[in-house]
Amino acid sequence: MIDTHARKWADPVIDKTADWFLKRRWTANQVTVLAFGIGVLTGPLIYFDAAWAAFVCLWISGFLDTVDGAMARKTRPSAFGTVLDITFDRLVEASVLLGLAFRYPDLMWLLLLLSVSILFSITVFLTVGNMSEQSGVKSFYYQAGLAERTEGFILFSLMMLFPSFLLYSTALFLFVETFTGLQRLLEAKRLLKEQDENAAD
């Protein structure tokens, strides 16, 4: 939701950073790899009780993840770049969840349920993006929802920085992610039905 409605406020900073990298002959894919390298440190940092360092790495990674997209649009977007971006995003999220699960094993069961809800939501998101004839800035149809990446990062941050409330923040994330998956599924039914009807005309 934040990504969809507040992106215009962040775009000037994102564009300036993209230009900075482009002037130094970085490619979008190289920034994607950099974002991944920083983001994947989050899990080990959580496990070794360096929550604030993990927080910083997560948000730098997330910011660079928006910069690589801006760079691709300023040059030439590549299909492989989209695959790389989406894959590395999921691996960064997995790093956070694994770090939390091993740091707080008593809540591993709830974190596992959260992982399933994220898998559910992203499966709907990617399947609809692949099947829809519409497209957007990410080279496929982008389904907005209650929980987009920024909301996920905010909730991950609460989970990392306030472990005494981890049960409640994880449960909240689970609810929000499940709701988003169902929201996207219902939108997919409407969107693809309209697409099929238009194809039949």
Side-chain angles (χ1 to χ4, degrees):
M1 187 166 61
I2 294 174
D3 292 353
T4 299
H5 298 290
R7 177 63 184 263
K8 60 184 178 181
W9 304 108
D11 274 343
V13 176
I14 293 169
D15 285 339
K16 286 181 180 178
T17 308
D19 290 338
W20 187 90
F21 277 108
L22 288 170
K23 287 178 182 177
R24 286 153 183 80
R25 300 184 181 277
W26 281 65
T27 67
N29 286 354
Q30 287 172 332
V31 174
T32 299
V33 173
L34 176 63
F36 168 70
I38 295 171
V40 81
L41 293 174
T42 305
L45 288 169
I46 292 170
Y47 180 73
F48 289 109
D49 200 23
W52 279 103
F55 170 81
V56 171
C57 284
L58 180 68
W59 283 94
I60 291 175
S61 172
F63 176 69
L64 291 175
D65 184 51
T66 63
V67 170
D68 63 7
M71 291 173 67
R73 290 188 291 276
K74 288 173 179 286
T75 52
R76 188 176 66 179
S78 72
F80 178 69
T82 300
V83 172
L84 205 63
D85 183 58
I86 294 171
T87 302
F88 284 171
D89 285 353
R90 304 291 77 75
L91 290 174
V92 169
E93 291 166 4
S95 176
V96 176
L97 289 166
L98 287 170
L100 288 166
F102 285 110
R103 179 70 187 172
Y104 307 103
D106 290 348
L107 290 176
M108 192 176 290
W109 62 275
L110 188 56
L111 290 161
L112 180 60
L113 289 176
L114 174 58
S115 301
V116 172
S117 72
I118 292 173
L119 180 62
F120 163 56
S121 184
I122 198 64
T123 299
V124 177
F125 176 80
L126 293 176
T127 305
V128 175
N130 182 59
M131 296 185 68
S132 175
E133 294 174 351
Q134 302 181 40
S135 62
V137 296
K138 288 182 176 285
S139 304
F140 57 88
Y141 177 66
Y142 183 88
Q143 268 192 306
L146 177 62
E148 298 179 39
R149 199 142 199 255
T150 301
E151 285 85 359
F153 273 37
I154 291 170
L155 288 165
F156 274 143
S157 298
L158 293 174
M159 292 162 69
M160 288 187 285
L161 298 177
F162 304 101
S164 58
F165 297 100
L166 182 58
L167 173 65
Y168 306 105
S169 55
T170 305
L172 174 62
F173 201 166
L174 173 61
F175 169 78
V176 169
E177 199 67 39
T178 303
F179 180 89
T180 302
L182 293 171
Q183 182 184 21
R184 286 172 169 164
L185 196 61
L186 290 173
E187 189 206 4
K189 181 181 179 181
R190 177 193 59 78
L191 178 70
L192 297 176
K193 182 180 179 181
E194 290 177 359
Q195 185 172 295
D196 289 342
E197 289 173 350
N198 291 336
D201 291 341

